[in-house]
Amino acid sequence: MTDYAIETKGLSLYYGRHRGVLDVDLRVEKGDIFGFLGPNGAGKTTTQRVLMDIIRPTVGKAYIFGKDCQKEGVAIRERIGYLPGELSLYNNMKARQFFKMYYSLQKNNNDPGHWQKLADRLGLDTSRKIREYSSGNKQKVGIVIAFMNKPDLLILDEPTSGLDPLVKQTVMELVREANQAGATVFFSSHILSEVQAVCNRVGIIREGQLVATERVEDLTTQHFRRIRFKFAKTPPGDAFTQEGVIETSRDEGGITLEVYTHLDRVMEQATSFGITDIETIPVSLEEIFLAYYGKGNGGNNA
Amino acid sequence: MLRLLLQELRFRINGIIGWGLGLSFFPVVYIGMYPSFAEQMAIFEDLMDLAIYQAMGISMAGFEGFIASTVTNLVPVILCIYAVINGTGTLAGEEDDGRLELIVSLPIPRWQIVAVKTVALGIALFIILAIVGAGAAITMEMITISVETRVTSLDVFLSLLAAWPLAMAVGMISLFLGAFSPNRRIASTIATVVVLVSYLGSNLSGMISSLEKIEKLFLFHYYESTAQALELGQQTDNMIALLVISLVAFGLALAFFQRRNITVGAWPWQRGVISK
């Protein structure tokens, strides 16, 4: 248990009779940058709130650094930097006052000037009242408070939401730097290119259930392969019609197939038409994600 | 814990000053204008026998009765509005606007959050009453020469401070309702009904015999706004009763907040149920 930064066991949470998350067994290893993917309402925020002990599970357990999130929540939260998805701030305070207040209420106060460095990097003018900020600048305030205490675990709910591309990049740099300094990062995002760029592992949650947890490179190479063939003689239209294979394009330049299963059989068939060129086209995380959601069958898209 | 308390007081400072000065208006005006129409008050004495005035606890026979019926009667009622606004705004209001999520995500036990907010509410109510009491006492000093009375400015000051247990009880019931009900709107509606029913019920129970049996259920039963109370102070057992009510409400607020799913906005019995 202690090898994991985050571990949930059979975690289910219902809002009355409405499903929040269902039987989630999640493991995030120490040192991971873990991307938590899913559409709106899938259960990402609910899972993160359970980890923060903001809401309690109906059944199941959640552990952070081996400690029960409900029973030892205070000790756990000393080591966590948290950015809520629906960030609400004290609008009448200046950002500087708010940072000082929030810092003073933390336990591991070891670098009182760190919030100012973070604010500078994000280009945030801390002398202004929070109510005067745009939504992007308010999000920057949230980023600063999550990172200000150099936590061992960062739980970030859509951290780049509402930020411009340059600031998004800075936030991703902060994530990488925190990770290099030893922090585990658990964040949800809709921007899959961002997740692919920074995360080493991802979990995909659909309708409250965790449907996949894999290393990013495994997910993008193992889920399906996209192969483009050029042939000496053009195969008939139904040449590759079989379970686990989708022909996505056909033109004079060749045929593109998405191969989910039976790669060996596909290669045999292709060889029979005289392969003149073969190319494996990289599959993005976004495509994998859409494949999981495309037909609602847990990823078996073929 | 002290840091959190200081923050809570900082958040309330404008409200404390505003309510303190605003509420001071009542004693300053009522006490200040008494000498100019003291003689005319006799005309109204017959009117005071009307049930409506008795229901409102108003009896203006003499200066003491006038002060008791206006200042020490009205100020606590109006302060109860602040107690309801602040009590329900403290947990339920912050949850509704999302700020509570940030506080709960700090390494602070939930019981400490409730305790600190309770202390801050108590201090806020006390300071407001102290400001109002000071305003009343200063005005009293200014008119002492023109009014014949046994009541001193210190009596008026202390009689206003003595409303603290009542206001605190209302504040704590509101805080508990905020921790119990799904949102602030429901909590403040219930708390307002409690205050209104308590106020009218307490006054009416002196006139309607059937209400006497349940008069102890009304919070205002434990607070006297009479000329006698102005001179002799509130009864100790009544003040203890209000403090006990506050403590019970605090305990309930703790218990329900400890188990509350923050950000969900549900009644306690609407916690998750695994569907079959």
Side-chain angles (χ1 to χ4, degrees), chain A residues 53 56 77 82 88 104, chain B residues 3 97 101 106 110 258 261:
Chain A
D53 195 30
R56 274 74 193 263
R77 291 195 295 275
Y82 176 59
S88 288
S104 73
Chain B
R3 283 174 182 161
D97 68 27
E101 187 174 4
L106 285 164
R110 286 194 183 191
Q258 198 67 29
N261 281 337

Side-chain angles (χ1 to χ4, degrees), chain B residues 106-127:
Chain B
L106 285 164
I108 301 171
R110 286 194 183 191
W111 70 263
Q112 274 189 21
I113 294 172
V114 179
V116 161
K117 287 178 185 291
T118 298
V119 173
L121 178 62
I123 291 173
L125 291 169
F126 189 84
I127 295 174

Side-chain angles (χ1 to χ4, degrees), chain A:
Chain A
M1 191 188 295
T2 49
D3 291 327
Y4 298 109
I6 296 172
E7 185 177 21
T8 67
K9 290 179 178 176
L11 191 74
S12 293
L13 188 140
Y14 278 78
Y15 299 110
R17 296 196 174 277
H18 300 285
R19 182 270 309 156
V21 292
L22 192 60
D23 203 21
V24 171
D25 290 313
L26 176 71
R27 285 173 178 174
V28 177
E29 289 174 18
K30 286 178 185 168
D32 270 352
I33 303 182
F34 191 97
F36 201 38
L37 306 176
N40 295 332
K44 304 186 298 295
T45 298
T46 297
T47 306
Q48 290 181 326
R49 283 178 173 161
V50 170
L51 293 171
M52 294 302 297
D53 195 30
I54 291 164
I55 49 182
R56 274 74 193 263
T58 311
V59 290
K61 288 280 183 187
Y63 301 92
I64 287 181
F65 298 124
K67 291 181 175 170
D68 189 318
C69 290
Q70 285 187 66
K71 290 179 183 162
E72 296 170 274
V74 175
I76 289 169
R77 291 195 295 275
E78 286 179 13
R79 301 175 65 184
I80 299 178
Y82 176 59
L83 171 67
E86 294 158 28
L87 183 64
S88 288
L89 300 164
Y90 292 85
N91 288 327
N92 288 330
M93 295 179 91
K94 288 180 178 175
R96 183 184 299 148
Q97 292 173 318
F98 176 67
F99 291 142
K100 284 181 183 170
M101 175 201 90
Y102 209 79
Y103 183 79
S104 73
L105 296 175
Q106 307 258 17
K107 290 282 164 65
N108 298 328
N109 297 351
N110 45 22
D111 189 351
H114 192 51
W115 62 262
Q116 185 62 61
K117 290 177 205 159
L118 291 165
D120 290 344
R121 278 186 72 178
L122 293 165
L124 188 70
D125 176 3
T126 59
S127 65
R128 291 174 61 190
K129 284 203 170 181
I130 290 172
R131 92 159 81 88
E132 295 168 5
Y133 283 151
S134 64
S135 60
N137 277 338
K138 284 181 181 170
Q139 185 72 358
K140 289 179 191 174
V141 173
I143 301 283
V144 171
I145 61 170
F147 283 81
M148 65 163 49
N149 224 29
K150 299 182 177 172
D152 296 325
L153 172 65
L154 281 153
I155 296 180
L156 311 172
D157 195 352
E158 314 254 356
T160 58
S161 168
L163 299 176
D164 67 56
L166 285 174
V167 180
K168 278 182 186 175
Q169 209 165 1
T170 308
V171 172
M172 288 301 113
E173 280 169 23
L174 289 172
V175 165
R176 281 196 202 94
E177 287 168 20
N179 181 250
Q180 281 160 10
T184 306
V185 185
F186 180 72
F187 80 92
S188 65
S189 178
H190 284 130
I191 304 163
L192 301 168
S193 56
E194 198 172 87
V195 173
Q196 190 165 11
V198 76
C199 294
N200 60 328
R201 290 179 74 230
V202 294
I204 296 178
I205 189 164
R206 192 187 67 191
E207 293 173 4
Q209 289 180 298
L210 194 66
V211 292
T213 311
E214 289 186 60
R215 301 191 72 77
V216 173
E217 61 264 31
D218 292 345
L219 200 63
T220 52
T221 55
Q222 288 180 5
H223 189 68
F224 67 88
R225 287 175 175 79
R226 183 179 294 125
I227 307 168
R228 184 159 180 79
F229 293 103
K230 283 184 182 173
F231 297 104
K233 55 178 181 181
T234 308
D238 61 349
F240 299 102
T241 305
Q242 60 181 284
E243 192 189 340
V245 180
I246 297 173
E247 185 178 310
T248 57
S249 73
R250 174 187 284 256
D251 53 36
E252 288 176 0
I255 294 172
T256 304
L257 301 175
E258 282 181 5
V259 183
Y260 292 83
T261 55
H262 307 305
L263 178 62
D264 51 347
R265 199 187 299 166
V266 171
M267 293 306 291
E268 260 176 45
Q269 287 165 326
T271 308
S272 67
F273 298 108
I275 301 171
T276 58
D277 192 14
I278 184 168
E279 181 190 3
T280 303
I281 301 167
V283 180
S284 71
L285 185 60
E286 186 153 357
E287 288 169 296
I288 300 292
F289 179 78
L290 291 173
Y292 269 102
Y293 281 91
K295 290 182 181 172
N297 59 1
N300 185 11
N301 215 6

